[in-house]
Amino acid sequence: MDDARCLQLERLVTNEELYILENVKALDFVCDECAIELIPCSFKKAVNLRRPYFKTKPKTEHEAYCYAKATSKIKEQGKTARITGDEGFPLAYPNRFNLAAVKSLKVGATSADNGSAANGDNSVLVTSSNKPKSKKSNYVTSSFQSIVDQFFNFPYDRDRELLFEGVEGKQYRQIFQKVINPIGKQKFRFQTETEQNKVFYSTLAWDKPQIEDDKIIIKLSAGWWQKVDDKSKNLRPYFIEANTSGWTAVVKENFINRLSQILELVKGSNKKALIAFVGKQDQQQDFYRFYVNESKLICFKVI
């Protein structure tokens, strides 16, 4: 399962939030539908290549009325087709991002919530058979990875509402910007009209990152591609300059390890390694450079 309710935090926790929660083993998680106990797995980012997830204990099953399996099927459908209907998006999802989100923060009800309670909790209904049925509401998250997952996992539903702290836009498709190659004879391209924060994304180049004392240089596959000896070459790739002066040694080491693992994971396969980050394009000196400062606002995705 991709999410579970944390009893101590009194809210829904997405699988990717397991990366940033402190002392995960001391927290108790239950299914948000039937309240059966769940175990967090694969949340050590520097070690586990598989994305975090929640599972039931051995020889334990969800209650008969639980919608957990049905939810998984809906998520699979969302990868290949639009699943938003007349009643809105069928699943609860993060529609507000705040890096410093606290559990007491309330999310205002929106049309996407269809009038449901908008505090990140579930309103429990009772059916005629006296079996609880949960009515989910959208929620605030402090996990950048969960926002990125929503964008890529549901490519046909990117018109869903999203309010992202520090970035202009009101929908997923307005918040995210793919780093695009220059056109024609142009040697560079401004990705946005102004030098503003945006959630940029691009596939990674195969080059190893350049690591210095207070920064990491990460090359992207997007850039100024030209034919050289009948072969297309990226003569001037766009790149990320991550300022690591405020990162701890552990954070920096884990980030570098994770980047290496992602590149190794897709090597020899037909999959692509993507990087998503919140940053600004340098529109004063080097137009190919993107500035990034916060490690929690950089994440990877394999598609």
Side-chain angles (χ1 to χ4, degrees):
M1 293 181 61
D2 288 338
D3 53 52
R5 178 162 294 277
C6 178
L7 300 182
Q8 286 81 4
L9 299 179
E10 299 179 351
R11 66 175 177 87
L12 197 67
V13 170
T14 62
N15 56 342
E16 299 293 349
E17 283 189 277
L18 293 174
Y19 281 144
I20 60 177
L21 289 176
E22 294 183 3
N23 201 8
V24 172
K25 292 185 178 180
L27 301 176
D28 298 308
F29 299 93
V30 297
C31 174
D32 203 35
E33 298 283 356
C34 66
I36 196 170
E37 185 178 355
L38 296 175
I39 303 171
C41 305
S42 190
F43 55 84
K44 294 182 179 180
K45 198 168 185 177
V47 177
N48 303 123
L49 288 178
R50 180 175 178 176
R51 292 169 58 247
Y53 64 98
F54 298 93
K55 70 176 183 180
T56 58
K57 286 187 172 181
K59 299 181 181 180
T60 303
E61 296 290 339
H62 291 269
E63 298 292 345
Y65 60 81
C66 183
Y67 286 90
K69 291 185 178 180
T71 297
S72 296
K73 290 182 179 180
I74 293 174
K75 290 179 178 179
E76 284 301 312
Q77 294 172 357
K79 294 178 181 179
T80 57
R82 182 174 174 82
I83 59 175
T84 299
D86 294 338
E87 297 182 356
F89 194 70
L91 304 174
Y93 72 92
N95 67 343
R96 184 171 295 185
F97 175 83
N98 185 326
L99 190 59
V102 293
K103 64 180 180 180
S104 61
L105 183 62
K106 305 293 183 180
V107 181
T110 67
S111 58
D113 297 324
N114 299 316
S116 61
N119 58 1
D121 297 328
N122 289 348
S123 302
V124 177
L125 307 179
V126 179
T127 65
S128 57
S129 59
N130 293 323
K131 293 179 181 179
K133 179 181 179 182
S134 60
K135 183 180 180 181
K136 293 196 170 195
S137 61
N138 298 332
Y139 54 92
V140 63
T141 184
S142 59
S143 168
F144 181 53
Q145 184 75 58
S146 68
I147 297 293
V148 172
D149 285 344
Q150 286 288 323
F151 181 80
F152 288 106
N153 291 349
F154 300 99
Y156 301 94
D157 298 272
R158 290 173 176 172
D159 56 345
R160 288 176 293 159
E161 181 188 49
L162 174 62
L163 301 179
F164 195 104
E165 182 184 26
V167 178
E168 292 184 1
K170 295 182 179 180
Q171 296 177 342
Y172 272 82
R173 63 184 179 187
Q174 297 170 347
I175 299 294
F176 282 76
Q177 170 66 50
K178 182 179 180 179
V179 182
I180 305 174
N181 296 334
I183 300 174
K185 296 181 179 180
Q186 293 179 348
K187 292 186 178 181
F188 65 89
R189 181 173 185 168
F190 291 134
Q191 305 296 319
T192 57
E193 293 182 0
T194 60
E195 191 175 359
Q196 59 181 328
N197 272 327
K198 201 77 176 176
V199 180
F200 293 103
Y201 68 94
S202 172
T203 51
L204 288 164
W206 287 109
D207 303 59
K208 291 184 178 180
Q210 179 182 340
I211 303 170
E212 301 179 8
D213 291 338
D214 59 352
K215 62 183 177 182
I216 300 175
I217 306 298
I218 305 168
K219 291 183 180 180
L220 307 178
S221 64
W224 184 39
W225 286 82
Q226 293 290 310
K227 278 194 173 182
V228 179
D229 297 330
D230 294 328
K231 292 184 179 180
S232 293
K233 292 187 177 181
N234 192 350
L235 301 181
R236 190 72 166 85
Y238 286 100
F239 65 95
I240 300 168
E241 182 179 301
N243 180 0
T244 61
S245 60
W247 301 13
T248 65
V250 173
V251 168
K252 186 174 181 179
E253 180 181 2
N254 287 345
F255 178 85
I256 295 170
N257 289 341
R258 185 61 176 167
L259 175 56
S260 300
Q261 290 170 344
I262 290 294
L263 291 174
E264 189 65 29
L265 183 64
V266 300
K267 187 179 295 185
S269 71
N270 59 354
K271 295 183 178 180
K272 296 180 180 180
L274 290 167
I275 186 170
F277 59 96
V278 179
K280 294 181 180 180
Q281 182 181 10
D282 182 353
Q283 297 191 6
Q284 304 298 325
Q285 297 178 336
D286 188 344
F287 306 134
Y288 286 90
R289 174 169 50 193
F290 291 92
Y291 290 114
V292 182
N293 294 317
E294 176 58 64
S295 63
K296 293 180 180 179
L297 294 179
I298 310 173
C299 69
F300 305 102
K301 184 76 174 176
V302 174
I303 61 172

